[in-house]
Amino acid sequence: MSEPVTNQAATKVYIEIVERLRDMIANDGLGSGDRIPSERELSERLGYGRSSVREALRALELLGLIETRRGEGTFIKDFHEHRLVELLGTFILQGQKVRKDALESKILIEKSCIELLFLKGREHLLSHMLESENVSFNEIMVKIVEGTDNRLLKKIWKILSEYVSSFHQDDIDQNQIHSFVQAIIQSDQEAALTAFDQLRNLSK
Amino acid sequence: MSEPVTNQAATKVYIEIVERLRDMIANDGLGSGDRIPSERELSERLGYGRSSVREALRALELLGLIETRRGEGTFIKDFHEHRLVELLGTFILQGQKVRKDALESKILIEKSCIELLFLKGREHLLSHMLESENVSFNEIMVKIVEGTDNRLLKKIWKILSEYVSSFHQDDIDQNQIHSFVQAIIQSDQEAALTAFDQLRNLSK
DNA sequence: AATATCACGTGGTCAGACCACTGTCTTAAT
DNA sequence: ATTAAGACAGTGGTCTGACCACGTGATATT
């Protein structure tokens, strides 16, 4: 009965390759723009068939983590440009409920960012920009989110923002925007949050 | 000189296939657990080689959007289980700053959930559960997040929660938790938020 | 009826073959 | 010597055909 030891590759080859690539990138300190070995070379070095190597590379490419140029090679992309958004949007965010959730989430994160902005005392950084006239509410929001100095939160907000914009159009009263802006300029957190709640119909 | 019309397939085949699959899923109203055609059948129906079909499927599998079982077939997964984050996490969430941002984001989303819970008047749903003694803060938070009836927000929180737990351990005073819980039971939003701020050191 | 067997379909993997494109190196024309 | 044209090698893109490993259901056996 000595185990037949059926291959039973617990992990599929292409997954194994993805991990090897990750290690390779980490160990060799490869970064944005650098080139990784050709498919044929990876195939030889890792000891797997070229088609398996390609499956791994295609998956990473779909994620936007690498870029391939025919005739040239495969290159690492700036990880901050990953395509999470489009992918999630296309495949996951579909139903009506999800849209509602997305809009709701977006607004709540905006509010969180406002609070965080004040908590970190960074609201003054926006003053000069807010004083000019022709700024849309969205532009203001972008500055607020960026002002929080939290790239992750910014990323999440941008994702939601892009997705929401595909089916929802903000329609906000100019006066309310003005109140909101004034509150920020005056560094009045409470007033800013109140204005935002009204703006977004979050008051009870 | 009549254009040689080099193939120049603007879009690579595997991308084309990913899109076709998306349409197929949308049009046929396929959902979690449903089976999609076999690789060989897709190859025939779409008119592309099996290897290209596989590249597309492997990419979607890495994303956690589909699941393949040898000998059985390929199935659609619950989109709420996608692995995007884990993947991106492995590749891009590494620096110290990112960790700090993640913890910060997590806490802010928690606060948002508390507000949303009250806004929707769903805080009473937790009362019975909160009255029992041996519940950890994390368990309470889970209930709150779930109570918001926003799957997207829940998903984001869970992701952040998992990631944060890999390097951070909450250490919260029991008395503060008690105050927080009492405020919720009494449906006192303001007190709950104040308690949370203290709990998380968000007060100024 | 219960059980063992086997054929078929499915995913997993590989090897080899072309094609299309890019960059370089060689060679021929100036 | 300079330059332009062509040959060549390397790389990704795609397809085909071949096995293997595994699950299922029909079939044969008991």
Side-chain angles (χ1 to χ4, degrees):
Chain A
M1 289 306 111
S2 60
E3 295 79 306
V5 178
T6 74
N7 180 15
Q8 184 52 329
T11 56
K12 313 188 183 183
V13 169
Y14 90 98
I15 294 285
E16 169 73 18
I17 295 176
V18 165
E19 287 169 359
R20 293 288 201 85
L21 283 171
R22 195 211 327 124
D23 295 343
M24 197 178 298
I25 291 173
N27 295 334
D28 298 2
L30 298 183
S32 178
D34 290 338
R35 187 172 163 224
I36 61 183
S38 75
E39 297 179 351
R40 291 172 177 82
E41 186 177 342
L42 283 174
S43 172
E44 269 193 44
R45 274 167 55 174
L46 301 181
Y48 295 116
R50 191 183 156 206
S51 39
S52 292
V53 170
R54 277 187 63 82
E55 288 180 6
L57 291 177
R58 266 354 95 213
L60 294 180
E61 186 184 48
L62 187 66
L63 273 175
L65 296 178
I66 60 174
E67 176 184 9
T68 54
R69 294 200 286 271
R70 179 187 248 165
E72 298 181 59
T74 304
F75 306 83
I76 296 180
K77 284 190 71 168
D78 181 349
F79 288 164
H80 290 285
E81 290 174 12
H82 54 78
R83 315 205 326 137
L84 192 122
V85 196
E86 303 86 315
L87 292 171
L88 280 177
T90 326
F91 278 90
I92 304 175
L93 308 178
Q94 295 183 0
Q96 284 299 314
K97 177 68 165 68
V98 182
R99 293 186 168 191
K100 188 166 160 296
D101 285 358
L103 178 57
E104 192 172 86
S105 302
K106 176 185 173 237
I107 292 175
L108 286 175
I109 287 177
E110 288 173 350
K111 190 172 177 182
S112 290
C113 286
I114 296 169
E115 287 192 65
L116 188 54
L117 187 74
F118 279 98
L119 195 60
K120 290 184 173 178
R122 297 170 63 90
E123 71 276 9
H124 63 279
L125 297 177
L126 311 186
S127 301
H128 62 289
M129 176 268 188
L130 292 177
E131 271 152 6
S132 63
E133 280 305 316
N134 301 326
V135 277
S136 69
F137 181 69
N138 190 59
E139 288 171 323
I140 295 173
M141 216 52 244
V142 169
K143 290 299 175 187
I144 291 176
V145 174
E146 286 176 348
T148 62
D149 187 37
N150 184 322
R151 298 183 80 169
L152 189 54
L153 213 48
K154 177 184 165 192
K155 187 76 193 172
I156 296 174
W157 181 79
K158 283 189 70 175
I159 291 168
L160 291 175
S161 200
E162 277 184 41
Y163 176 61
V164 167
S165 71
S166 71
F167 63 86
H168 175 81
Q169 173 82 39
D170 273 338
D171 181 26
I172 304 175
D173 181 55
Q174 282 299 323
N175 291 326
Q176 293 185 319
I177 294 182
H178 187 257
S179 303
F180 178 56
V181 169
Q182 284 306 310
I184 295 178
I185 293 179
Q186 292 163 21
S187 280
D188 186 338
Q189 173 169 7
E190 200 171 339
L193 289 175
T194 302
F196 184 78
D197 281 350
Q198 290 184 343
L199 203 93
R200 292 300 202 185
N201 298 314
L202 286 180
S203 40
K204 291 193 294 195
Chain B
M1 290 308 110
S2 59
E3 295 81 303
V5 178
T6 73
N7 180 15
Q8 185 52 327
T11 57
K12 314 187 185 186
V13 170
Y14 91 98
I15 293 287
E16 169 73 17
I17 296 176
V18 164
E19 287 169 359
R20 292 289 201 85
L21 283 171
R22 195 222 313 133
D23 295 343
M24 196 178 298
I25 291 173
N27 295 334
D28 299 2
L30 298 182
S32 178
D34 290 338
R35 188 175 158 214
I36 61 182
S38 74
E39 298 178 351
R40 291 171 177 83
E41 187 177 341
L42 283 174
S43 172
E44 270 193 43
R45 276 168 53 174
L46 301 181
Y48 294 115
R50 190 182 159 208
S51 45
S52 291
V53 170
R54 276 187 63 82
E55 288 181 7
L57 290 177
R58 267 353 95 215
L60 293 181
E61 186 184 48
L62 188 66
L63 284 176
L65 297 178
I66 61 175
E67 175 184 10
T68 54
R69 295 200 285 270
R70 179 187 248 164
E72 298 182 59
T74 304
F75 306 83
I76 297 179
K77 284 190 71 171
D78 181 348
F79 288 163
H80 291 280
E81 292 173 13
H82 56 80
R83 309 202 320 138
L84 265 185
V85 192
E86 297 87 316
L87 282 175
L88 294 174
T90 337
F91 276 89
I92 63 187
L93 300 182
Q94 296 179 1
Q96 283 299 314
K97 177 69 166 64
V98 181
R99 293 185 168 191
K100 189 167 160 294
D101 285 357
L103 178 57
E104 194 172 85
S105 302
K106 176 185 172 237
I107 292 175
L108 287 174
I109 287 178
E110 288 173 350
K111 189 171 177 182
S112 290
C113 287
I114 296 170
E115 287 192 64
L116 188 55
L117 188 74
F118 279 98
L119 194 61
K120 290 185 174 177
R122 298 170 62 91
E123 71 276 10
H124 62 279
L125 296 177
L126 311 187
S127 301
H128 61 291
M129 176 268 188
L130 293 178
E131 271 153 7
S132 63
E133 280 304 316
N134 301 325
V135 277
S136 70
F137 182 69
N138 190 60
E139 288 171 323
I140 294 174
M141 215 54 243
V142 168
K143 290 298 175 188
I144 290 176
V145 174
E146 286 176 349
T148 62
D149 187 37
N150 184 321
R151 299 182 78 169
L152 188 55
L153 213 48
K154 177 185 164 193
K155 182 74 191 174
I156 296 174
W157 181 78
K158 282 189 70 175
I159 290 164
L160 291 175
S161 200
E162 276 182 41
Y163 178 61
V164 167
S165 71
S166 70
F167 62 86
H168 175 81
Q169 173 82 39
D170 273 338
D171 181 26
I172 304 175
D173 181 55
Q174 282 299 322
N175 291 326
Q176 293 185 319
I177 294 183
H178 187 258
S179 304
F180 179 55
V181 169
Q182 284 304 310
I184 295 178
I185 293 180
Q186 292 163 21
S187 280
D188 186 338
Q189 173 170 8
E190 199 170 340
L193 289 175
T194 303
F196 184 78
D197 281 350
Q198 291 184 343
L199 203 95
R200 292 300 201 184
N201 297 314
L202 285 180
S203 40
K204 290 191 294 194

